[in-house]
């Protein structure tokens, strides 16, 4: 919080009247941006309350600041985490909030425009991290610098692609006997990847905002599994009918439907446990999650579809 904090603020004493406070504001002339409240401090600079401008303008001018100020308010210390402050601004619809030291002395304020800037920068970093890119990389960095930043996750992606290819290799005999399997298996992997990306995006956002806790994690897993089963049943039936009509094989349609259902369940579990696992290991859950998810949904999608086809059709 100490980094985005600013020191442009207006303070008052609790024993002055609202009329005197208004005269003081007029003498100041230019007021700080994002001003929605005044900070009430004592002689030593310790904060005792805040005076919202709404109360200043609507209360009896003869009343004292102490009589109308709010003494139950959100405050931060400069050592507080910026993302926690951002959550508080969202939760309590704050425009400004005081920043105090260990002795409750007012040292600055945090404003909503600074919080929005922080959220935007964090969102940009998360988008890069999900693709395995580094935060410092931008559109105009040198070719060498940009390529070097991407090497690690491309190398990991290459390894996972080889693993997925070996899964297919195990079933080469099945594919040779039934060429339709080669045409249909990318559908299973592709839909699984898209479904997993939806889940993983929600989980990463929930972790970033502090919405996911040990108390509600179990309920979240059950809910996402329910969504996966519902989508799997509906879209599995659709692709099963498509395969049946295309290849005139009821058994092949059934394999497609079952593989779609199972891979969407796998995608939901991967979308939940990959970012939550990274968070548990004290790693940023946004970094490279999409690479690990793609590996899981591709490999398992191929394995489930080709495995079922080998057992049932051949």
């Amino acid at each position: 919080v100490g980094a985005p904090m600013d020191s442009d603020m207006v303070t008052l004493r609790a024993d002055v009247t609202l009329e005197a406070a208004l005269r003081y504001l007029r003498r100041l002339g230019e007021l700080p941006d994002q001003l929605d409240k005044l900070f009430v401090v004592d002689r030593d600079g310790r904060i005792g309350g805040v005076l919202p401008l709404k109360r200043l303008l609507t209360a009896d001018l003869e009343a004292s600041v102490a009589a109308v100020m709010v003494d139950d308010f959100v405050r931060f210390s400069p050592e507080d985490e910026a993302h926690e402050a951002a959550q508080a601004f969202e939760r309590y619809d704050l425009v400004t909030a005081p920043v105090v030291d260990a002795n409750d002395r007012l040292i600055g304020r945090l404003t909503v425009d600074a919080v929005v800037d922080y959220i935007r920068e964090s969102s940009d970093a998360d988008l890069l991290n999900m693709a395995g890119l580094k935060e410092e990389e931008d559109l105009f960095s040198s070719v060498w610098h940009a390529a070097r930043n991407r090497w690690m996750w491309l190398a990991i992606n290459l390894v996972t692609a080889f693993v997925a290819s070996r899964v297919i290799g195990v079933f080469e005999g099945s594919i040779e006997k039934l060429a339709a399997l080669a045409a249909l298996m990318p559908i299973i992997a592709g839909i699984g990847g898209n479904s997993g990306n939806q889940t993983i995006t929600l989980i990463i956002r929930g972790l970033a905002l502090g919405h996911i806790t040990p108390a509600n994690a179990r309920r979240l897993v059950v809910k996402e599994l329910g969504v996966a089963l519902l989508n799997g049943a509906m879209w599995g039936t659709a692709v099963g009918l498509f395969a049946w009509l295309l290849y005139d094989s009821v058994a092949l349609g059934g394999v497609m439907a079952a593989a779609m259902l199972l891979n969407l369940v796998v995608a939901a579990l991967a979308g939940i446990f990959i970012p939550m696992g990274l968070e548990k290991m004290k790693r940023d859950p946004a970094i490279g999650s999409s690479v690990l998810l793609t590996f899981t949904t591709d490999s398992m999608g191929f394995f489930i579809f080709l495995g079922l086809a080998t057992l049932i059709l051949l």
Side-chain angles (χ1 to χ4, degrees), residues 6 33-36 89-90 93-97 109-119:
D6 73 63
D33 294 332
Q34 310 296 333
L35 183 70
D36 72 319
F89 266 71
E90 179 187 19
D93 296 323
L94 300 176
V95 176
T96 62
R109 65 172 188 154
L110 191 61
T111 62
V112 67
D113 55 344
V115 170
V116 169
D117 288 342
Y118 167 78
I119 293 172

Side-chain angles (χ1 to χ4, degrees), residues 181-262:
L181 299 179
L184 294 174
M185 64 184 183
I187 297 174
I188 304 299
I191 298 299
N194 289 335
S195 176
N197 273 322
Q198 293 173 343
T199 301
I200 209 168
T201 300
L202 290 174
I203 297 301
I204 290 174
R205 185 176 185 276
L207 290 171
L209 296 176
H211 294 166
I212 299 176
T213 64
N216 62 23
R218 181 186 179 90
R219 182 162 54 89
L220 179 63
V221 172
V222 173
K223 175 250 184 182
E224 287 299 323
L225 281 177
V227 172
L229 288 171
L230 180 60
N231 283 335
M234 181 172 65
W235 296 109
T237 301
V239 297
L241 289 173
F242 170 77
W244 176 20
L245 294 174
L246 188 62
Y247 293 100
D248 193 25
S249 172
V250 175
L252 180 59
V255 167
M256 280 288 289
M260 178 67 75
L261 174 63
L262 292 174

Side-chain angles (χ1 to χ4, degrees), residues 4-266:
M5 153 186 107
D6 73 63
S7 56
D8 193 9
M9 52 193 173
V10 179
T11 60
L12 293 171
R13 295 280 298 280
D15 55 356
V16 303
T17 64
L18 297 184
E19 184 178 11
L22 281 173
R23 286 201 305 268
Y24 172 61
L25 292 181
R26 292 191 188 100
R27 284 200 304 271
L28 287 178
E30 186 175 350
L31 297 176
D33 294 332
Q34 310 296 333
L35 183 70
D36 72 319
K37 60 177 69 76
L38 311 177
F39 303 134
V40 184
V41 298
D42 62 15
R43 293 180 183 274
D44 298 320
R46 285 189 291 267
I47 190 166
V50 297
L51 177 62
L53 291 184
K54 183 187 298 185
R55 294 195 180 190
L56 174 62
L57 296 174
T58 58
D60 182 3
L61 293 180
E62 298 301 320
S64 68
V65 168
V68 297
M69 72 179 187
V70 177
D71 53 16
D72 181 18
F73 56 93
V74 177
R75 72 191 79 188
F76 301 104
S77 72
E79 293 82 15
D80 288 338
E81 294 290 340
H83 75 273
E84 294 177 357
Q87 292 171 18
F89 266 71
E90 179 187 19
R91 187 180 306 116
Y92 301 114
D93 296 323
L94 300 176
V95 176
T96 62
V99 181
V100 299
D101 64 13
N103 297 315
D104 257 359
R105 282 193 292 266
L106 183 67
I107 57 175
R109 65 172 188 154
L110 191 61
T111 62
V112 67
D113 55 344
V115 170
V116 169
D117 288 342
Y118 167 78
I119 293 172
R120 187 188 67 249
E121 292 168 2
S122 298
S123 299
D124 291 344
D126 286 344
L127 286 174
L128 291 173
N129 288 337
M130 284 188 68
L133 301 177
K134 293 186 177 180
E135 185 176 353
E136 63 268 19
E137 182 177 347
D138 59 37
L139 289 174
F140 305 104
S141 59
S142 68
V143 172
W144 171 253
H145 182 72
R148 189 178 57 188
N149 281 340
R150 304 179 193 187
W151 280 350
M152 184 185 72
W153 284 105
L154 288 176
I156 294 174
N157 204 2
L158 181 62
V159 172
T160 59
F162 272 121
V163 173
S165 73
R166 293 320 306 149
V167 171
I168 298 172
V170 171
F171 298 98
E172 282 181 356
S174 302
I175 296 172
E176 288 176 358
K177 293 178 182 178
L178 188 58
L181 299 179
L184 294 174
M185 64 184 183
I187 297 174
I188 304 299
I191 298 299
N194 289 335
S195 176
N197 273 322
Q198 293 173 343
T199 301
I200 209 168
T201 300
L202 290 174
I203 297 301
I204 290 174
R205 185 176 185 276
L207 290 171
L209 296 176
H211 294 166
I212 299 176
T213 64
N216 62 23
R218 181 186 179 90
R219 182 162 54 89
L220 179 63
V221 172
V222 173
K223 175 250 184 182
E224 287 299 323
L225 281 177
V227 172
L229 288 171
L230 180 60
N231 283 335
M234 181 172 65
W235 296 109
T237 301
V239 297
L241 289 173
F242 170 77
W244 176 20
L245 294 174
L246 188 62
Y247 293 100
D248 193 25
S249 172
V250 175
L252 180 59
V255 167
M256 280 288 289
M260 178 67 75
L261 174 63
L262 292 174
N263 201 33
L264 287 189
V265 171
V266 169

